Amino acid sequence: MTELTDLIAADAPRCGLLAPAPAAAVASLGAADAERERHISARTARALTEAGFARHFVPRTWGGGEGGFAELFDATVEVAGSCASAGWCGVLWAGHGRFAAFLPEEGQRDLWGRTPDVRISAAVIPPTGSAEPEPEADGWRVRGRWRFASGVDHADWVLVAAPERPADADAGRRARALVFAVPRAEVEVIDSWNSVGLRGTGSHEIALDGVFVPRRRSFEMAAMMSGDATPGRPAPYAAPAQLVGGVLLVAVALGAARRALRLWSELVLGKAATGAASAAVPVWEAFARSSAELDAAGLLLREVARRADVDPRAEGAVAHGQRDAAVGAELVVAAVDRLFRTGGSHGSDAAGDFQRAWRDVHTATGHAALRLGPAAEAYARVGTAALAAEGR
């Protein structure tokens, strides 16, 4: 069966920076092992890197792609349709490369001077720990623990965010949050990830105990969050962090949900077709409604990514994007839950692929960035203003 979202992706213009199909095939073979081992395999990590995820947003100065959000959305959905954990690691390695592009040039050279294919894990929200200035060494001593550093098992570098501990003379000044790039070898990984879904992401806690970070490997978190619209700055870096962050997370859930739909149709539709018509009607309705909801979610979410490529600084864009990410997540969850309820014993097999996809969807959409309440409040402010303007 060809879904509407398949046709959209096929017809959409692509600049060819990402080649997700081989990575999806490798990830599919390793999905069960990733579930059991709680991290994707080295082979899958290499396949994601070769597909172009790590270099997608890296500046062209270092051989990267300076790629777009819509292409990354499509590629993430495709890989997550084979293994949601692989899709999660791939999209975050790409996104963290965009964050690292806010480093000063010399800091970027430390990361990408040899190759743009550098996998970067991150734990930046919320900032925690502390960064104590060492002016004589032109850097900071960074201490603390951070949660959910996805993909850290295969990372080359790690980004962490910490508030700067002000000097005594500046004790009344509000601490600014800084982002630091630290070699993976200097980071302690605490084996803590044991989630019900996205089990293969290896999203462990990490710790630093007084690691020195030079100034060139740091930048203010506020710059990353707001984006850089300086004239001449490449477009991917102009987007505020919250504009498409949620949408790219739901891309993983959408890929997993589309896999659930494929599995469900193989297990349930054929059986319904051979039974009584009255018994088949609820199954057909579940299939129609769930597939339509996934198509609708794909259209809604990809449009946010497309707009981010075209005009990332548009008025109200962040509130609009957060609204659509939250609503898109709800559509995906509703579709998969309906399939789960109508799948009978097929959906309750704890070792089955369908059940894993269902768990992955719920875990991905449970991210704090996808809560409708805060998104709705923010959108209400800009949305009502826009409606008032239309009425004048």
Side-chain angles (χ1 to χ4, degrees):
M1 181 194 66
T2 300
E3 294 295 312
L4 177 60
T5 40
D6 289 323
L7 298 175
I8 294 168
D11 292 341
R14 297 174 66 99
C15 55
L17 296 175
L18 289 165
V26 172
S28 179
L29 295 175
D33 289 340
E35 171 93 355
R36 182 176 61 256
E37 300 295 331
R38 295 180 296 118
H39 60 77
I40 60 173
S41 69
R43 182 185 180 194
T44 297
R46 285 194 301 272
L48 291 169
T49 305
E50 291 168 0
F53 282 92
R55 69 166 59 198
H56 185 68
F57 285 124
V58 174
R60 289 197 181 100
T61 302
W62 312 111
E66 290 182 6
F69 295 105
E71 184 182 12
L72 180 59
F73 178 87
D74 291 341
T76 300
V77 171
E78 183 169 349
V79 172
S82 294
C83 173
S85 292
W88 187 269
C89 289
V91 73
L92 290 183
W93 285 336
H96 298 156
R98 193 174 82 91
F99 292 168
F102 286 87
L103 287 166
E105 183 177 350
E106 286 306 305
Q108 294 182 34
R109 187 184 304 278
D110 289 348
L111 271 66
W112 299 312
R114 294 185 177 180
T115 175
D117 290 322
V118 173
R119 297 188 287 262
I120 303 171
S121 182
V124 295
I125 299 176
T128 188
S130 65
E132 185 172 354
E134 290 197 357
E136 66 282 358
D138 198 25
W140 293 264
R141 290 284 171 186
V142 183
R143 294 176 173 83
R145 287 177 65 148
W146 295 262
R147 299 179 69 191
F148 309 133
S150 298
V152 69
D153 291 308
H154 301 292
D156 303 298
W157 287 79
V158 176
L159 301 179
V160 298
E164 182 183 35
R165 180 184 297 172
D168 292 340
D170 299 325
R173 176 173 60 86
R174 183 178 179 181
R176 59 177 179 165
L178 299 172
V179 178
F180 302 95
V182 184
R184 165 64 179 81
E186 298 180 14
V187 176
E188 178 189 0
V189 177
I190 301 156
D191 190 338
S192 60
W193 182 246
N194 195 24
S195 173
V196 297
L198 296 178
R199 288 181 58 81
T201 61
S203 302
H204 301 299
E205 289 185 60
I206 57 174
L208 297 177
D209 186 13
V211 171
F212 177 75
V213 182
R215 183 175 300 275
R216 69 179 185 274
R217 295 182 191 164
S218 70
F219 59 89
E220 291 196 28
M221 186 173 177
M224 177 190 82
M225 297 303 293
S226 63
D228 185 355
T230 303
R233 180 81 157 140
Y237 317 118
Q242 294 175 315
L243 174 58
V244 290
V247 164
L248 293 175
L249 298 182
V250 187
V252 175
L254 179 61
R258 291 174 64 181
R259 175 171 174 76
L261 181 66
R262 291 193 297 270
L263 293 168
W264 183 94
S265 65
E266 294 169 2
L267 295 169
V268 178
L269 279 185
K271 181 178 178 181
T274 60
S278 59
V281 169
V283 171
W284 293 335
E285 289 180 348
F287 178 70
R289 188 173 295 276
S290 289
S291 61
E293 285 172 340
L294 295 183
D295 284 347
L299 288 167
L300 187 69
L301 297 166
R302 194 182 189 282
E303 177 60 13
V304 176
R306 187 199 65 79
R307 289 198 307 265
D309 287 334
V310 174
D311 189 4
R313 310 291 293 191
E315 185 175 357
V318 171
H320 201 148
Q322 290 178 309
R323 180 205 69 175
D324 289 356
V327 172
E330 289 190 347
L331 287 170
V332 171
V333 169
V336 171
D337 280 354
R338 185 180 300 103
L339 298 177
F340 188 86
R341 292 193 304 270
T342 56
S345 60
H346 300 298
S348 59
D349 180 4
D353 288 347
F354 178 86
Q355 209 252 18
R356 181 170 69 240
W358 180 79
R359 288 186 284 108
D360 288 339
V361 166
H362 276 267
T363 301
T365 56
H367 195 281
L370 301 174
R371 293 172 184 163
L372 182 57
E377 180 181 0
Y379 181 74
R381 294 193 178 96
V382 301
T384 53
L387 289 173
E390 290 178 6
R392 286 199 292 271

